[in-house]
Amino acid sequence: MERQLVGRLNDHLRVMTGRSTGEAEKKSWRRSLPILARDLVEADLGKVEMLIEYQLPRTSKRADVVLAGVDRMGNDRYVVVELKQWSQAELFEDNENLVLVPGYRREVEHPLLQVKDYCDTIVDFIGALHGDPDTVRGVAYLHNAADPDVHDLFDLVQSERTRLFTKTRRGAFLDYLRSQFAAEPGAGAADRLLDSAVRPSKQLMRLAAAEIKDREQFILLDEQRVAYEMVLHAVRKAHEEDRKRIVIVTGGPGSGKSVIALSLLGELNRRGNTVLHATGSRSFTQTMRRHVGKGNRRVQNLFKYFNSFMDAEKNELDVLICDEAHRIRQTSANRYTRAAQRTGRPQVDELIAAARVPVFLLDEHQVVKPGETGTLEAIKSHAETLGFRVHHVPLEGQWRCGGSRKYEDWVLKLLGIDTDDDPEPWSGDDHFEVSLAESPAEMEAVLRGKMREGYSARISAGYCWPWSNPRADDTLVPDVRIDGWARPWNVKSDRAVGTAPASALWATSEGGFEQVGCVYTAQGFEYDWSGVILGPDLVARNGRLVTVRDRNKDPELTKRSVSDLQIERHIRNIYKVLLTRGMAGTVIYAVDRETQEFLADLIERRTERVRPA
């Protein structure tokens, strides 16, 4: 019986996720699922449905089991069960959210915090539950552990979503199950859960509105206000006419696109509209979750990725805010996508279909990867082909780079983006400072001086050096080597390495200055002072900057399928992103000697070079 159950579950997951299950996971099923099934039978609840490996809405996470049935009043009841085979566990240094388990390499999340988050996500996004918190309960079942071996884990037991049972309390667990479910079939409740539309609940929207209002105070000016009001107008008209409308907001770095996005997220939630925020950038989404939804995982769930809407129902949201929409890809499919979802459907089509009013905020000059298709023309053309009305609002203002439109224009001419004009000398601007460092060591010294003055600063570079994995001793390899100066790239993964923050937090967390950032971690962020190293993939020849394909080491750009024209476009856009991250000033250094001399002619003769503090 156990072998048949595990085999059927493995087949199901292969269809659903496109991957085979590892032996460790199969072993976990064999050891845990029969115990829970036996307990249900012994509690005379054999008709309660077990939804095994239930995938949480709008996430790749899966709950071990969701029990589905009815309570004694005939109402649907669901109990999320997190199964743990631990025989021992203790809190990590009295931190109630982290747990140490013998045999594990690192600390893990407290199982009660884990199951509570699962319950909150189900209630917040499953429409059939109407946001009713009493419908979903949660337990962690440590069926191999005795009470004394996990005694301090009980401190987090606080509600019906944080119940904890061990083998010592198996009798109490059976009584708990009997108190939750009537001995009636649970198939109907299971079907209603599985077939329900996925959308944010009203309770979640009210919570998000309050959180965003408390944490962010935005002032919208000029075209920002126009874009904001245009979206609210489109939402009202789409409802009145029962017809989809699309809003596209375009603007350069620092023009206020993300300020508009967050202002809309808060206001639409306050008005009771169903709305989500999505991007194609892991760094940007993780930072939004960390700062806007700080301390509240339910609010963090409002921030999604573009590929979260492959299975979205038509118009399941009122509004979908697609920030950093230049990161939209040709399709949402990747190597983890299950076969049934590999339809070749354009990602922009999925995003447009998911909401009555899809909103796209983008900067076409930040398309930095092959396969990214987020341009004004591409989105507008696709929407109009479908017969939908499109509103376009261009943002002309500049809030980054000290508000210096002059600097942004200078960068565009320097890089030869959308212009045939030659690069021009930097003639200065009272609101923004540009300087040329004689070496990366000087650049670093200058920026450290700015940090001592209380400013934020980061160094970024073109992807022209190898990128090693961390060493066995949990230190980073200093791959970016220029003469006698060497620094590591930012961390690759979502976990910190030593004092170096996780990849997504390089631009915003303490410790990020000690690594060199790449475009994927810098894009979408800003800091007061920006140091930019021009690698050998962009050099000055005959009075202009030209790209050198074979000096770029980005795996995304070294594929044979990427044309020379695409490489040309992406490298220039990459440096445009890097050169426009600073709020107060930019310090530049070029590895190529001729390029350094070319920049000196444009910068140093008209600006006193910044010296180390």
Side-chain angles (χ1 to χ4, degrees), residues 202 205-206 208-209 212 228 231-236 260-277 318-321 357 359:
K202 292 181 179 180
M205 290 188 291
R206 285 196 290 268
I212 294 169
Y228 174 85
V231 172
L232 297 182
H233 173 78
V235 172
R236 184 173 67 253
I260 295 167
L262 289 177
S263 297
L264 286 168
L265 185 64
E267 179 61 23
L268 290 166
N269 272 301
R270 283 187 285 276
R271 295 185 178 198
N273 295 110
T274 55
V275 55
L276 292 176
H277 180 285
D318 291 326
V319 182
L320 177 59
I321 301 170
V357 180
V359 180

PDB file of all heavy atoms in Angstrom, residues 202 205-206 208-209 212 228 231-236 260-277 318-321 357 359:
ATOM      1  N   LYS A 202     -10.379  40.278   0.362  1.00  0.00           N
ATOM      2  CA  LYS A 202     -10.617  41.642   0.828  1.00  0.00           C
ATOM      3  C   LYS A 202      -9.839  41.921   2.111  1.00  0.00           C
ATOM      4  O   LYS A 202      -9.355  43.032   2.326  1.00  0.00           O
ATOM      5  CB  LYS A 202     -12.113  41.858   1.043  1.00  0.00           C
ATOM      6  CG  LYS A 202     -12.929  41.860  -0.248  1.00  0.00           C
ATOM      7  CD  LYS A 202     -14.403  42.102   0.021  1.00  0.00           C
ATOM      8  CE  LYS A 202     -15.194  42.117  -1.295  1.00  0.00           C
ATOM      9  NZ  LYS A 202     -16.643  42.343  -1.061  1.00  0.00           N
ATOM     10  N   MET A 205      -6.345  42.753   1.169  1.00  0.00           N
ATOM     11  CA  MET A 205      -6.254  44.071   0.546  1.00  0.00           C
ATOM     12  C   MET A 205      -6.311  45.181   1.602  1.00  0.00           C
ATOM     13  O   MET A 205      -5.581  46.171   1.513  1.00  0.00           O
ATOM     14  CB  MET A 205      -7.367  44.237  -0.484  1.00  0.00           C
ATOM     15  CG  MET A 205      -7.180  43.362  -1.717  1.00  0.00           C
ATOM     16  SD  MET A 205      -8.376  43.726  -3.015  1.00  0.00           S
ATOM     17  CE  MET A 205      -9.888  43.135  -2.269  1.00  0.00           C
ATOM     18  N   ARG A 206      -7.185  45.016   2.596  1.00  0.00           N
ATOM     19  CA  ARG A 206      -7.255  46.020   3.652  1.00  0.00           C
ATOM     20  C   ARG A 206      -5.943  46.074   4.432  1.00  0.00           C
ATOM     21  O   ARG A 206      -5.450  47.146   4.771  1.00  0.00           O
ATOM     22  CB  ARG A 206      -8.418  45.716   4.594  1.00  0.00           C
ATOM     23  CG  ARG A 206      -9.781  46.053   4.008  1.00  0.00           C
ATOM     24  CD  ARG A 206     -10.835  46.101   5.100  1.00  0.00           C
ATOM     25  NE  ARG A 206     -11.121  44.788   5.621  1.00  0.00           N
ATOM     26  CZ  ARG A 206     -12.083  43.994   5.146  1.00  0.00           C
ATOM     27  NH1 ARG A 206     -12.832  44.390   4.134  1.00  0.00           N
ATOM     28  NH2 ARG A 206     -12.305  42.819   5.689  1.00  0.00           N
ATOM     29  N   ALA A 208      -2.941  45.193   3.327  1.00  0.00           N
ATOM     30  CA  ALA A 208      -1.899  45.759   2.474  1.00  0.00           C
ATOM     31  C   ALA A 208      -2.022  47.268   2.388  1.00  0.00           C
ATOM     32  O   ALA A 208      -1.021  47.993   2.424  1.00  0.00           O
ATOM     33  CB  ALA A 208      -1.979  45.147   1.079  1.00  0.00           C
ATOM     34  N   ALA A 209      -3.260  47.756   2.257  1.00  0.00           N
ATOM     35  CA  ALA A 209      -3.474  49.204   2.164  1.00  0.00           C
ATOM     36  C   ALA A 209      -2.928  49.903   3.404  1.00  0.00           C
ATOM     37  O   ALA A 209      -2.252  50.930   3.316  1.00  0.00           O
ATOM     38  CB  ALA A 209      -4.954  49.497   1.990  1.00  0.00           C
ATOM     39  N   ILE A 212       1.070  49.633   3.452  1.00  0.00           N
ATOM     40  CA  ILE A 212       1.747  50.496   2.497  1.00  0.00           C
ATOM     41  C   ILE A 212       1.583  51.960   2.892  1.00  0.00           C
ATOM     42  O   ILE A 212       2.506  52.758   2.786  1.00  0.00           O
ATOM     43  CB  ILE A 212       1.216  50.239   1.074  1.00  0.00           C
ATOM     44  CG1 ILE A 212       1.604  48.817   0.634  1.00  0.00           C
ATOM     45  CG2 ILE A 212       1.771  51.256   0.082  1.00  0.00           C
ATOM     46  CD1 ILE A 212       0.926  48.362  -0.636  1.00  0.00           C
ATOM     47  N   TYR A 228      -0.695  58.002 -12.673  1.00  0.00           N
ATOM     48  CA  TYR A 228      -1.470  57.476 -11.543  1.00  0.00           C
ATOM     49  C   TYR A 228      -2.971  57.641 -11.790  1.00  0.00           C
ATOM     50  O   TYR A 228      -3.756  56.692 -11.656  1.00  0.00           O
ATOM     51  CB  TYR A 228      -1.023  58.224 -10.290  1.00  0.00           C
ATOM     52  CG  TYR A 228      -1.788  57.954  -9.020  1.00  0.00           C
ATOM     53  CD1 TYR A 228      -1.463  56.868  -8.214  1.00  0.00           C
ATOM     54  CD2 TYR A 228      -2.801  58.808  -8.599  1.00  0.00           C
ATOM     55  CE1 TYR A 228      -2.142  56.628  -7.026  1.00  0.00           C
ATOM     56  CE2 TYR A 228      -3.484  58.590  -7.413  1.00  0.00           C
ATOM     57  CZ  TYR A 228      -3.146  57.500  -6.631  1.00  0.00           C
ATOM     58  OH  TYR A 228      -3.819  57.280  -5.458  1.00  0.00           O
ATOM     59  N   VAL A 231      -4.418  55.374 -14.594  1.00  0.00           N
ATOM     60  CA  VAL A 231      -4.707  53.995 -14.183  1.00  0.00           C
ATOM     61  C   VAL A 231      -6.025  53.936 -13.417  1.00  0.00           C
ATOM     62  O   VAL A 231      -6.870  53.066 -13.675  1.00  0.00           O
ATOM     63  CB  VAL A 231      -3.551  53.429 -13.339  1.00  0.00           C
ATOM     64  CG1 VAL A 231      -3.939  52.068 -12.757  1.00  0.00           C
ATOM     65  CG2 VAL A 231      -2.282  53.295 -14.177  1.00  0.00           C
ATOM     66  N   LEU A 232      -6.230  54.851 -12.490  1.00  0.00           N
ATOM     67  CA  LEU A 232      -7.479  54.850 -11.733  1.00  0.00           C
ATOM     68  C   LEU A 232      -8.667  55.077 -12.661  1.00  0.00           C
ATOM     69  O   LEU A 232      -9.737  54.463 -12.492  1.00  0.00           O
ATOM     70  CB  LEU A 232      -7.441  55.935 -10.653  1.00  0.00           C
ATOM     71  CG  LEU A 232      -6.364  55.768  -9.562  1.00  0.00           C
ATOM     72  CD1 LEU A 232      -6.476  56.889  -8.540  1.00  0.00           C
ATOM     73  CD2 LEU A 232      -6.461  54.413  -8.888  1.00  0.00           C
ATOM     74  N   HIS A 233      -8.495  55.948 -13.663  1.00  0.00           N
ATOM     75  CA  HIS A 233      -9.544  56.174 -14.652  1.00  0.00           C
ATOM     76  C   HIS A 233      -9.825  54.897 -15.440  1.00  0.00           C
ATOM     77  O   HIS A 233     -10.987  54.534 -15.674  1.00  0.00           O
ATOM     78  CB  HIS A 233      -9.114  57.296 -15.603  1.00  0.00           C
ATOM     79  CG  HIS A 233     -10.038  57.491 -16.764  1.00  0.00           C
ATOM     80  ND1 HIS A 233     -11.239  58.159 -16.669  1.00  0.00           N
ATOM     81  CD2 HIS A 233      -9.943  57.078 -18.066  1.00  0.00           C
ATOM     82  CE1 HIS A 233     -11.840  58.164 -17.844  1.00  0.00           C
ATOM     83  NE2 HIS A 233     -11.081  57.524 -18.717  1.00  0.00           N
ATOM     84  N   ALA A 234      -8.757  54.207 -15.867  1.00  0.00           N
ATOM     85  CA  ALA A 234      -8.923  52.975 -16.643  1.00  0.00           C
ATOM     86  C   ALA A 234      -9.646  51.906 -15.830  1.00  0.00           C
ATOM     87  O   ALA A 234     -10.464  51.150 -16.367  1.00  0.00           O
ATOM     88  CB  ALA A 234      -7.561  52.467 -17.109  1.00  0.00           C
ATOM     89  N   VAL A 235      -9.362  51.833 -14.534  1.00  0.00           N
ATOM     90  CA  VAL A 235     -10.030  50.854 -13.673  1.00  0.00           C
ATOM     91  C   VAL A 235     -11.528  51.155 -13.610  1.00  0.00           C
ATOM     92  O   VAL A 235     -12.373  50.247 -13.724  1.00  0.00           O
ATOM     93  CB  VAL A 235      -9.417  50.864 -12.258  1.00  0.00           C
ATOM     94  CG1 VAL A 235     -10.230  49.982 -11.307  1.00  0.00           C
ATOM     95  CG2 VAL A 235      -7.968  50.384 -12.306  1.00  0.00           C
ATOM     96  N   ARG A 236     -11.877  52.424 -13.455  1.00  0.00           N
ATOM     97  CA  ARG A 236     -13.288  52.800 -13.380  1.00  0.00           C
ATOM     98  C   ARG A 236     -14.014  52.520 -14.701  1.00  0.00           C
ATOM     99  O   ARG A 236     -15.102  51.936 -14.712  1.00  0.00           O
ATOM    100  CB  ARG A 236     -13.409  54.282 -13.025  1.00  0.00           C
ATOM    101  CG  ARG A 236     -14.856  54.748 -12.823  1.00  0.00           C
ATOM    102  CD  ARG A 236     -14.936  56.167 -12.319  1.00  0.00           C
ATOM    103  NE  ARG A 236     -14.462  57.132 -13.304  1.00  0.00           N
ATOM    104  CZ  ARG A 236     -13.307  57.787 -13.235  1.00  0.00           C
ATOM    105  NH1 ARG A 236     -12.493  57.557 -12.215  1.00  0.00           N
ATOM    106  NH2 ARG A 236     -12.957  58.653 -14.162  1.00  0.00           N
ATOM    107  N   ILE A 260       5.113  55.302  -8.673  1.00  0.00           N
ATOM    108  CA  ILE A 260       3.749  55.202  -9.191  1.00  0.00           C
ATOM    109  C   ILE A 260       3.170  53.824  -8.888  1.00  0.00           C
ATOM    110  O   ILE A 260       2.026  53.694  -8.443  1.00  0.00           O
ATOM    111  CB  ILE A 260       3.745  55.461 -10.704  1.00  0.00           C
ATOM    112  CG1 ILE A 260       4.173  56.894 -11.012  1.00  0.00           C
ATOM    113  CG2 ILE A 260       2.364  55.187 -11.306  1.00  0.00           C
ATOM    114  CD1 ILE A 260       4.489  57.147 -12.476  1.00  0.00           C
ATOM    115  N   ALA A 261       3.970  52.788  -9.118  1.00  0.00           N
ATOM    116  CA  ALA A 261       3.505  51.415  -8.904  1.00  0.00           C
ATOM    117  C   ALA A 261       3.069  51.195  -7.463  1.00  0.00           C
ATOM    118  O   ALA A 261       1.991  50.646  -7.193  1.00  0.00           O
ATOM    119  CB  ALA A 261       4.595  50.424  -9.296  1.00  0.00           C
ATOM    120  N   LEU A 262       3.888  51.621  -6.502  1.00  0.00           N
ATOM    121  CA  LEU A 262       3.550  51.408  -5.099  1.00  0.00           C
ATOM    122  C   LEU A 262       2.403  52.296  -4.653  1.00  0.00           C
ATOM    123  O   LEU A 262       1.571  51.892  -3.827  1.00  0.00           O
ATOM    124  CB  LEU A 262       4.789  51.651  -4.229  1.00  0.00           C
ATOM    125  CG  LEU A 262       5.878  50.586  -4.359  1.00  0.00           C
ATOM    126  CD1 LEU A 262       7.091  50.959  -3.527  1.00  0.00           C
ATOM    127  CD2 LEU A 262       5.369  49.223  -3.949  1.00  0.00           C
ATOM    128  N   SER A 263       2.330  53.515  -5.182  1.00  0.00           N
ATOM    129  CA  SER A 263       1.193  54.378  -4.862  1.00  0.00           C
ATOM    130  C   SER A 263      -0.112  53.737  -5.330  1.00  0.00           C
ATOM    131  O   SER A 263      -1.124  53.755  -4.618  1.00  0.00           O
ATOM    132  CB  SER A 263       1.366  55.749  -5.529  1.00  0.00           C
ATOM    133  OG  SER A 263       2.509  56.412  -5.029  1.00  0.00           O
ATOM    134  N   LEU A 264      -0.084  53.168  -6.529  1.00  0.00           N
ATOM    135  CA  LEU A 264      -1.276  52.497  -7.055  1.00  0.00           C
ATOM    136  C   LEU A 264      -1.618  51.257  -6.244  1.00  0.00           C
ATOM    137  O   LEU A 264      -2.791  50.981  -5.970  1.00  0.00           O
ATOM    138  CB  LEU A 264      -1.058  52.121  -8.518  1.00  0.00           C
ATOM    139  CG  LEU A 264      -1.096  53.279  -9.516  1.00  0.00           C
ATOM    140  CD1 LEU A 264      -0.572  52.821 -10.876  1.00  0.00           C
ATOM    141  CD2 LEU A 264      -2.522  53.823  -9.655  1.00  0.00           C
ATOM    142  N   LEU A 265      -0.606  50.505  -5.848  1.00  0.00           N
ATOM    143  CA  LEU A 265      -0.851  49.293  -5.070  1.00  0.00           C
ATOM    144  C   LEU A 265      -1.580  49.634  -3.776  1.00  0.00           C
ATOM    145  O   LEU A 265      -2.551  48.975  -3.392  1.00  0.00           O
ATOM    146  CB  LEU A 265       0.473  48.585  -4.787  1.00  0.00           C
ATOM    147  CG  LEU A 265       0.396  47.228  -4.082  1.00  0.00           C
ATOM    148  CD1 LEU A 265      -0.332  46.208  -4.945  1.00  0.00           C
ATOM    149  CD2 LEU A 265       1.794  46.726  -3.733  1.00  0.00           C
ATOM    150  N   GLY A 266      -1.113  50.687  -3.101  1.00  0.00           N
ATOM    151  CA  GLY A 266      -1.763  51.085  -1.864  1.00  0.00           C
ATOM    152  C   GLY A 266      -3.168  51.618  -2.083  1.00  0.00           C
ATOM    153  O   GLY A 266      -4.112  51.216  -1.400  1.00  0.00           O
ATOM    154  N   GLU A 267      -3.348  52.516  -3.056  1.00  0.00           N
ATOM    155  CA  GLU A 267      -4.652  53.137  -3.288  1.00  0.00           C
ATOM    156  C   GLU A 267      -5.680  52.121  -3.770  1.00  0.00           C
ATOM    157  O   GLU A 267      -6.832  52.117  -3.319  1.00  0.00           O
ATOM    158  CB  GLU A 267      -4.514  54.264  -4.306  1.00  0.00           C
ATOM    159  CG  GLU A 267      -5.819  54.968  -4.648  1.00  0.00           C
ATOM    160  CD  GLU A 267      -6.483  55.628  -3.450  1.00  0.00           C
ATOM    161  OE1 GLU A 267      -5.771  55.929  -2.450  1.00  0.00           O
ATOM    162  OE2 GLU A 267      -7.716  55.829  -3.494  1.00  0.00           O
ATOM    163  N   LEU A 268      -5.308  51.261  -4.692  1.00  0.00           N
ATOM    164  CA  LEU A 268      -6.259  50.273  -5.210  1.00  0.00           C
ATOM    165  C   LEU A 268      -6.673  49.284  -4.133  1.00  0.00           C
ATOM    166  O   LEU A 268      -7.831  48.854  -4.080  1.00  0.00           O
ATOM    167  CB  LEU A 268      -5.650  49.549  -6.420  1.00  0.00           C
ATOM    168  CG  LEU A 268      -5.508  50.423  -7.672  1.00  0.00           C
ATOM    169  CD1 LEU A 268      -4.601  49.751  -8.695  1.00  0.00           C
ATOM    170  CD2 LEU A 268      -6.878  50.708  -8.289  1.00  0.00           C
ATOM    171  N   ASN A 269      -5.742  48.934  -3.262  1.00  0.00           N
ATOM    172  CA  ASN A 269      -6.108  48.086  -2.135  1.00  0.00           C
ATOM    173  C   ASN A 269      -7.087  48.794  -1.213  1.00  0.00           C
ATOM    174  O   ASN A 269      -8.056  48.200  -0.733  1.00  0.00           O
ATOM    175  CB  ASN A 269      -4.856  47.666  -1.358  1.00  0.00           C
ATOM    176  CG  ASN A 269      -4.237  46.399  -1.900  1.00  0.00           C
ATOM    177  OD1 ASN A 269      -4.896  45.372  -1.936  1.00  0.00           O
ATOM    178  ND2 ASN A 269      -2.997  46.464  -2.339  1.00  0.00           N
ATOM    179  N   ARG A 270      -6.864  50.078  -0.967  1.00  0.00           N
ATOM    180  CA  ARG A 270      -7.775  50.826  -0.113  1.00  0.00           C
ATOM    181  C   ARG A 270      -9.171  50.905  -0.719  1.00  0.00           C
ATOM    182  O   ARG A 270     -10.166  50.958  -0.001  1.00  0.00           O
ATOM    183  CB  ARG A 270      -7.217  52.235   0.138  1.00  0.00           C
ATOM    184  CG  ARG A 270      -6.104  52.281   1.159  1.00  0.00           C
ATOM    185  CD  ARG A 270      -5.701  53.700   1.515  1.00  0.00           C
ATOM    186  NE  ARG A 270      -4.911  54.337   0.487  1.00  0.00           N
ATOM    187  CZ  ARG A 270      -3.604  54.210   0.340  1.00  0.00           C
ATOM    188  NH1 ARG A 270      -2.926  53.422   1.172  1.00  0.00           N
ATOM    189  NH2 ARG A 270      -2.948  54.837  -0.613  1.00  0.00           N
ATOM    190  N   ARG A 271      -9.243  50.905  -2.045  1.00  0.00           N
ATOM    191  CA  ARG A 271     -10.531  50.984  -2.721  1.00  0.00           C
ATOM    192  C   ARG A 271     -11.220  49.629  -2.852  1.00  0.00           C
ATOM    193  O   ARG A 271     -12.320  49.529  -3.385  1.00  0.00           O
ATOM    194  CB  ARG A 271     -10.352  51.596  -4.112  1.00  0.00           C
ATOM    195  CG  ARG A 271      -9.898  53.042  -4.084  1.00  0.00           C
ATOM    196  CD  ARG A 271      -9.863  53.643  -5.479  1.00  0.00           C
ATOM    197  NE  ARG A 271      -9.477  55.055  -5.452  1.00  0.00           N
ATOM    198  CZ  ARG A 271      -9.690  55.897  -6.453  1.00  0.00           C
ATOM    199  NH1 ARG A 271     -10.280  55.475  -7.565  1.00  0.00           N
ATOM    200  NH2 ARG A 271      -9.309  57.159  -6.365  1.00  0.00           N
ATOM    201  N   GLY A 272     -10.529  48.577  -2.432  1.00  0.00           N
ATOM    202  CA  GLY A 272     -11.141  47.257  -2.482  1.00  0.00           C
ATOM    203  C   GLY A 272     -10.944  46.517  -3.790  1.00  0.00           C
ATOM    204  O   GLY A 272     -11.579  45.481  -4.019  1.00  0.00           O
ATOM    205  N   ASN A 273     -10.059  47.022  -4.655  1.00  0.00           N
ATOM    206  CA  ASN A 273      -9.775  46.314  -5.906  1.00  0.00           C
ATOM    207  C   ASN A 273      -8.804  45.170  -5.652  1.00  0.00           C
ATOM    208  O   ASN A 273      -7.936  45.246  -4.776  1.00  0.00           O
ATOM    209  CB  ASN A 273      -9.155  47.266  -6.938  1.00  0.00           C
ATOM    210  CG  ASN A 273     -10.112  48.364  -7.356  1.00  0.00           C
ATOM    211  OD1 ASN A 273      -9.928  49.522  -7.018  1.00  0.00           O
ATOM    212  ND2 ASN A 273     -11.138  48.008  -8.102  1.00  0.00           N
ATOM    213  N   THR A 274      -8.940  44.105  -6.439  1.00  0.00           N
ATOM    214  CA  THR A 274      -7.962  43.020  -6.368  1.00  0.00           C
ATOM    215  C   THR A 274      -6.771  43.417  -7.225  1.00  0.00           C
ATOM    216  O   THR A 274      -6.909  43.684  -8.424  1.00  0.00           O
ATOM    217  CB  THR A 274      -8.557  41.704  -6.879  1.00  0.00           C
ATOM    218  OG1 THR A 274      -9.076  41.886  -8.194  1.00  0.00           O
ATOM    219  CG2 THR A 274      -9.665  41.226  -5.970  1.00  0.00           C
ATOM    220  N   VAL A 275      -5.588  43.461  -6.639  1.00  0.00           N
ATOM    221  CA  VAL A 275      -4.411  43.974  -7.335  1.00  0.00           C
ATOM    222  C   VAL A 275      -3.160  43.273  -6.826  1.00  0.00           C
ATOM    223  O   VAL A 275      -3.039  42.964  -5.642  1.00  0.00           O
ATOM    224  CB  VAL A 275      -4.286  45.504  -7.137  1.00  0.00           C
ATOM    225  CG1 VAL A 275      -4.269  45.874  -5.658  1.00  0.00           C
ATOM    226  CG2 VAL A 275      -3.060  46.062  -7.838  1.00  0.00           C
ATOM    227  N   LEU A 276      -2.250  42.987  -7.729  1.00  0.00           N
ATOM    228  CA  LEU A 276      -0.941  42.435  -7.391  1.00  0.00           C
ATOM    229  C   LEU A 276       0.134  43.236  -8.108  1.00  0.00           C
ATOM    230  O   LEU A 276      -0.111  43.876  -9.128  1.00  0.00           O
ATOM    231  CB  LEU A 276      -0.835  40.966  -7.804  1.00  0.00           C
ATOM    232  CG  LEU A 276      -1.693  39.952  -7.055  1.00  0.00           C
ATOM    233  CD1 LEU A 276      -1.521  38.566  -7.664  1.00  0.00           C
ATOM    234  CD2 LEU A 276      -1.343  39.918  -5.571  1.00  0.00           C
ATOM    235  N   HIS A 277       1.327  43.186  -7.559  1.00  0.00           N
ATOM    236  CA  HIS A 277       2.511  43.808  -8.150  1.00  0.00           C
ATOM    237  C   HIS A 277       3.409  42.682  -8.648  1.00  0.00           C
ATOM    238  O   HIS A 277       3.604  41.692  -7.962  1.00  0.00           O
ATOM    239  CB  HIS A 277       3.231  44.637  -7.081  1.00  0.00           C
ATOM    240  CG  HIS A 277       4.478  45.337  -7.534  1.00  0.00           C
ATOM    241  ND1 HIS A 277       5.673  44.681  -7.747  1.00  0.00           N
ATOM    242  CD2 HIS A 277       4.723  46.649  -7.800  1.00  0.00           C
ATOM    243  CE1 HIS A 277       6.598  45.564  -8.120  1.00  0.00           C
ATOM    244  NE2 HIS A 277       6.045  46.765  -8.164  1.00  0.00           N
ATOM    245  N   ASP A 318      -8.450  42.682 -10.760  1.00  0.00           N
ATOM    246  CA  ASP A 318      -8.854  43.966 -11.320  1.00  0.00           C
ATOM    247  C   ASP A 318      -7.658  44.637 -11.987  1.00  0.00           C
ATOM    248  O   ASP A 318      -7.760  45.169 -13.094  1.00  0.00           O
ATOM    249  CB  ASP A 318      -9.411  44.879 -10.221  1.00  0.00           C
ATOM    250  CG  ASP A 318     -10.748  44.389  -9.680  1.00  0.00           C
ATOM    251  OD1 ASP A 318     -11.530  43.825 -10.467  1.00  0.00           O
ATOM    252  OD2 ASP A 318     -10.997  44.548  -8.473  1.00  0.00           O
ATOM    253  N   VAL A 319      -6.512  44.621 -11.293  1.00  0.00           N
ATOM    254  CA  VAL A 319      -5.318  45.310 -11.800  1.00  0.00           C
ATOM    255  C   VAL A 319      -4.089  44.446 -11.539  1.00  0.00           C
ATOM    256  O   VAL A 319      -3.934  43.881 -10.457  1.00  0.00           O
ATOM    257  CB  VAL A 319      -5.130  46.684 -11.110  1.00  0.00           C
ATOM    258  CG1 VAL A 319      -3.916  47.411 -11.689  1.00  0.00           C
ATOM    259  CG2 VAL A 319      -6.375  47.544 -11.260  1.00  0.00           C
ATOM    260  N   LEU A 320      -3.232  44.346 -12.537  1.00  0.00           N
ATOM    261  CA  LEU A 320      -1.923  43.731 -12.372  1.00  0.00           C
ATOM    262  C   LEU A 320      -0.879  44.781 -12.729  1.00  0.00           C
ATOM    263  O   LEU A 320      -0.815  45.249 -13.874  1.00  0.00           O
ATOM    264  CB  LEU A 320      -1.767  42.501 -13.272  1.00  0.00           C
ATOM    265  CG  LEU A 320      -0.390  41.824 -13.225  1.00  0.00           C
ATOM    266  CD1 LEU A 320      -0.057  41.361 -11.810  1.00  0.00           C
ATOM    267  CD2 LEU A 320      -0.333  40.641 -14.200  1.00  0.00           C
ATOM    268  N   ILE A 321      -0.078  45.184 -11.737  1.00  0.00           N
ATOM    269  CA  ILE A 321       0.942  46.207 -11.941  1.00  0.00           C
ATOM    270  C   ILE A 321       2.256  45.523 -12.301  1.00  0.00           C
ATOM    271  O   ILE A 321       2.869  44.852 -11.463  1.00  0.00           O
ATOM    272  CB  ILE A 321       1.120  47.059 -10.671  1.00  0.00           C
ATOM    273  CG1 ILE A 321      -0.209  47.730 -10.312  1.00  0.00           C
ATOM    274  CG2 ILE A 321       2.219  48.098 -10.867  1.00  0.00           C
ATOM    275  CD1 ILE A 321      -0.199  48.403  -8.944  1.00  0.00           C
ATOM    276  N   VAL A 357      -7.301  45.467 -15.967  1.00  0.00           N
ATOM    277  CA  VAL A 357      -6.428  46.590 -16.300  1.00  0.00           C
ATOM    278  C   VAL A 357      -4.978  46.195 -15.998  1.00  0.00           C
ATOM    279  O   VAL A 357      -4.519  46.315 -14.866  1.00  0.00           O
ATOM    280  CB  VAL A 357      -6.802  47.865 -15.511  1.00  0.00           C
ATOM    281  CG1 VAL A 357      -5.850  49.013 -15.887  1.00  0.00           C
ATOM    282  CG2 VAL A 357      -8.245  48.260 -15.778  1.00  0.00           C
ATOM    283  N   VAL A 359      -1.154  47.042 -16.095  1.00  0.00           N
ATOM    284  CA  VAL A 359      -0.358  48.272 -16.129  1.00  0.00           C
ATOM    285  C   VAL A 359       1.104  47.882 -16.320  1.00  0.00           C
ATOM    286  O   VAL A 359       1.638  47.077 -15.557  1.00  0.00           O
ATOM    287  CB  VAL A 359      -0.526  49.075 -14.824  1.00  0.00           C
ATOM    288  CG1 VAL A 359       0.299  50.360 -14.879  1.00  0.00           C
ATOM    289  CG2 VAL A 359      -1.990  49.390 -14.572  1.00  0.00           C
TER     290      VAL A 359
END
